[in-house]
Amino acid sequence: MNDIRLAVEMTFGSTPHGTDDQFEEFLDAVQEHLESIGREVQLSAALAERTTEFATSANGTDVNMAMAYLLMDLRTALHAAGCNTASWPTFEPTSQVVRTLQGA
């Protein structure tokens, strides 16, 4: 079985414009989420330019499937870290109720 090496390069924007420290914290959260779902990545970033590269390797011979799984894991981690997908609605709570429940 071969080792397939893949890298995804991404550029980010933010509204309002975030600081370099905030962007670094965001990337740390993305990496933590990737690790929590079992995806090991090497991350490199240019903070001022807001560019990042996520590199990983996968066992197998099917490059297309390896790419699909990487993109799926990356999207999951980005969403968990608070990055949304363009055109997807952003849901924010408008009210909250906490109550105790009685045992059955």
Side-chain angles (χ1 to χ4, degrees):
M1 206 168 277
N2 297 331
D3 222 20
I4 300 170
R5 294 281 301 153
L6 301 169
V8 176
E9 184 177 316
M10 302 180 88
T11 303
F12 292 89
S14 63
T15 304
H17 183 72
T19 65
D20 289 352
D21 288 339
Q22 289 170 318
F23 183 57
E24 186 173 16
E25 289 172 12
F26 165 72
L27 293 177
D28 288 344
V30 173
Q31 183 140 27
E32 286 176 21
H33 289 296
L34 284 165
E35 290 171 0
S36 74
I37 60 174
R39 171 67 70 172
E40 291 185 32
V41 297
Q42 294 77 45
L43 186 145
S44 62
L47 298 178
E49 290 81 21
R50 301 297 190 258
T51 59
T52 306
E53 183 173 276
F54 301 92
T56 191
S57 61
N59 291 325
T61 56
D62 189 338
V63 174
N64 290 326
M65 289 304 293
M67 286 189 288
Y69 286 128
L70 172 59
L71 292 173
M72 180 179 62
D73 289 349
L74 188 54
R75 184 180 199 135
T76 298
L78 288 168
H79 279 258
C83 183
N84 71 341
T85 299
S87 79
W88 282 20
T90 301
F91 293 96
E92 297 177 358
T94 57
S95 67
Q96 175 176 298
V97 175
V98 178
R99 62 180 192 247
T100 60
L101 301 175
Q102 300 298 317

